[in-house]
Amino acid sequence: MTCLHLLLTLVFAVSLGTPVEIQRPRGVPLTKKQFYEESKPFTCLDGSRTIPFDRVNDDYCDCKDGSDEPGTAACPNGSFHCTNAGYRPMFIPSSRINDGICDCCDTTDEYNSGAKCENTCKELGRKEREVLQKMAEITKEGFLLKQQLIEEAKKGREEKQGKVTDMQENKKQLEEKVEALRTVKEAAEQPEKEAKERHLKAWEEQKAAIRLEKDKAKMAEAFLELDDNSDGFVSVSELQSHAELDPDADGTLTETEVQGLMGGAAQVDTSTFESVWTNIKDKYHSEVSRKEADMSRLMTFEVVLGKFGSTLSWLCVVQAPPTVKTPEKSHEDEEAMPPYDPDTQALIEGWLCCQSYSSIRLNIEKELSFDFGPDAEFTYMYSQCYELSTSEYIYRLCPFNRALWGREKNRPENNKYLVMKYEHGTGCWQGPNRSTTVKLTCGKETVVTSTSEPSRCEYLMEFTTPAVCQEPANTEPSPHGHEEL
């Protein structure tokens, strides 16, 4: 048998610690050695045909599945097994055999190409063992933290459930007290209510009388101002001097418009002026107020000069804002509602206390209704947010805020707590609504480690937390020392 057919390999017998030589065709994993018996004809692994054994690895493809050429590139669909002692065994497409590129870390794929390959399996195995050891330490520490989280969540849940029970009892007692106060107050407040209504009615009537007297005084003052010749009459020409009374606001108060305001009369005396006053009082400005306003505007003009170099270049006049006088406090403003009597105040405070109790209780019950994992290990994330800052954005993750537990395809149902789904976000420009998938991995810290956008408007977050750390196995990480060779 030529060296092309067989590759001598060693397997360490764990119990004896001594190497044992096992012969099998090149490129065949130890798990399939039984199909390649040199003393028997070879049957293609798909069962399609049987050939003499010397046609195995003869660089000619006889089997449709390529199983007769595990160590050559003869079959396009064949695969070559790299033993990679000290590291991970692997399969590569048979087309890569003797192609001048080292694919197997033990160099076995380039046995006849002349390529200068270096066996790097030990170094790769060493680095992997370091990574595995580090991961094992993180898992161990993370699992201890997880146990603490579970214990804290258990205590917190018991406290919240007890608080809800106490609040329900206190709320019941408080509602009974409020109802008793309400009954007492309703029986006692009727006389007070009637007295307040009488007082309010009298006050409204008094205010109406005061307003009427003020209106009559203004009307008399306006008549005297308008009667320029003091003949006891207000004429069309005298009223026409008040342009602010222009009905159509076109800037001109015509004689016809004045007659309309005066009810068609040419002049009116004090007895008939009341009907005219009704038409003009909302727009009328007294002479005194107009003169005061004109003087105020003159006094508040400022001349602002601007210079360009030493030459006066422009001049403009601007009006300063008018001075606003603080109005005197009227009798109406002073009429404020007196404070509630003690019974009413107690009733209001009791009702507000009931509302506050209900709100707090509902918030606690909402928190208790969340699915925080099989052992409530995710409870500590409630009402918390975690951020990751990049050069362009700040990503913010708030677990249990409109998030649902998801489950990746081909992942067991009991591992659904490794994925969170956020869907129906704001829409992208001419695209779908945004969504985010959060993948949870074991870690000592609770942090967002990375973000990406695999598809447009579909984001992926990597998130570490001790809440998903599993209890580590008792065995040490495999150094690839006793696997098939």
Side-chain angles (χ1 to χ4, degrees), residues 77 119 190 227 294 369 382:
N77 58 340
N119 191 324
Q190 190 61 30
D227 185 11
D294 291 342
S369 69
Y382 184 72

Side-chain angles (χ1 to χ4, degrees), residues 106-398:
D106 62 2
T107 75
T108 52
D109 60 311
E110 298 300 318
Y111 60 88
N112 199 31
S113 68
K116 294 182 179 179
C117 298
E118 182 181 353
N119 191 324
T120 59
C121 290
K122 283 188 178 181
E123 180 62 17
L124 292 173
R126 183 188 65 79
K127 290 181 179 179
E128 185 178 61
R129 286 191 293 275
E130 289 178 357
V131 172
L132 291 174
Q133 183 62 35
K134 187 176 181 180
M135 288 175 60
E137 291 172 359
I138 291 174
T139 301
K140 183 178 179 180
E141 293 181 37
F143 184 74
L144 292 176
L145 291 172
K146 178 181 180 179
Q147 299 310 301
Q148 295 176 16
L149 294 174
I150 292 173
E151 188 62 29
E152 291 171 3
K154 182 180 178 182
K155 291 180 180 178
R157 188 175 185 85
E158 290 174 352
E159 290 175 1
K160 288 182 174 67
Q161 287 174 333
K163 187 179 290 186
V164 168
T165 302
D166 292 342
M167 291 180 76
Q168 287 173 335
E169 289 296 322
N170 291 339
K171 181 174 181 291
K172 183 178 180 181
Q173 295 174 7
L174 193 60
E175 286 174 343
E176 292 173 353
K177 182 178 179 181
V178 169
E179 188 57 34
L181 283 170
R182 190 195 308 278
T183 302
V184 171
K185 179 165 176 55
E186 286 176 353
E189 73 180 353
Q190 190 61 30
E192 176 189 358
K193 181 180 178 182
E194 292 173 356
K196 282 184 177 180
E197 288 176 351
R198 287 194 301 271
H199 174 78
L200 180 61
K201 183 178 179 181
W203 171 234
E204 291 295 335
E205 291 173 352
Q206 183 180 352
K207 285 194 294 182
I210 291 172
R211 284 195 294 267
L212 183 60
E213 289 300 320
K214 285 182 178 180
D215 188 61
K216 286 182 178 180
K218 286 182 180 181
M219 181 177 67
E221 181 184 348
F223 185 89
L224 291 175
E225 288 180 352
L226 289 169
D227 185 11
D228 292 333
N229 56 10
S230 301
D231 62 350
F233 293 94
V234 173
S235 65
V236 171
S237 59
E238 287 172 331
L239 193 61
Q240 197 172 358
S241 64
H242 283 258
E244 76 272 11
L245 302 177
D246 182 14
D248 57 10
D250 63 355
T252 303
L253 182 59
T254 65
E255 184 176 338
T256 303
E257 288 173 332
V258 172
Q259 288 179 342
L261 294 173
M262 296 179 66
Q267 61 181 16
V268 292
D269 59 11
T270 54
S271 63
T272 55
F273 182 69
E274 184 175 353
S275 62
V276 178
W277 177 245
T278 303
N279 294 332
I280 69 173
K281 64 181 180 180
D282 292 334
K283 292 184 177 182
Y284 178 77
H285 294 163
S286 69
E287 295 292 338
V288 175
S289 63
R290 285 200 296 177
K291 288 177 181 178
E292 287 179 350
D294 291 342
M295 182 59 68
S296 175
R297 283 195 291 271
L298 288 172
M299 294 293 289
T300 56
F301 274 109
E302 294 180 2
V303 177
V304 180
L305 301 179
K307 291 186 177 181
F308 182 79
S310 60
T311 306
L312 184 64
S313 60
W314 51 268
L315 167 66
C316 69
V317 179
V318 295
Q319 184 180 359
T323 303
V324 179
K325 295 182 179 179
T326 303
E328 295 181 2
K329 196 170 186 180
S330 66
H331 180 68
E332 186 177 350
D333 295 331
E334 293 175 352
E335 185 70 18
M337 186 178 71
Y340 292 111
D341 62 89
D343 288 340
T344 303
Q345 189 64 34
L347 183 64
I348 293 172
E349 290 176 356
W351 181 81
L352 291 174
C353 188
C354 283
Q355 292 297 103
S356 176
Y357 262 57
S358 296
S359 177
I360 295 172
R361 180 173 57 83
L362 288 174
N363 286 336
I364 296 175
E365 289 176 345
K366 177 184 176 183
E367 181 179 347
L368 293 173
S369 69
F370 274 100
D371 180 2
F372 290 123
D375 298 304
E377 59 268 36
F378 296 95
T379 304
Y380 77 104
M381 295 183 189
Y382 184 72
S383 297
Q384 299 296 317
C385 292
Y386 306 90
E387 291 185 350
L388 174 67
S389 296
T390 66
S391 58
E392 294 182 294
Y393 303 104
I394 296 178
Y395 295 91
R396 198 162 189 249
L397 171 64
C398 302

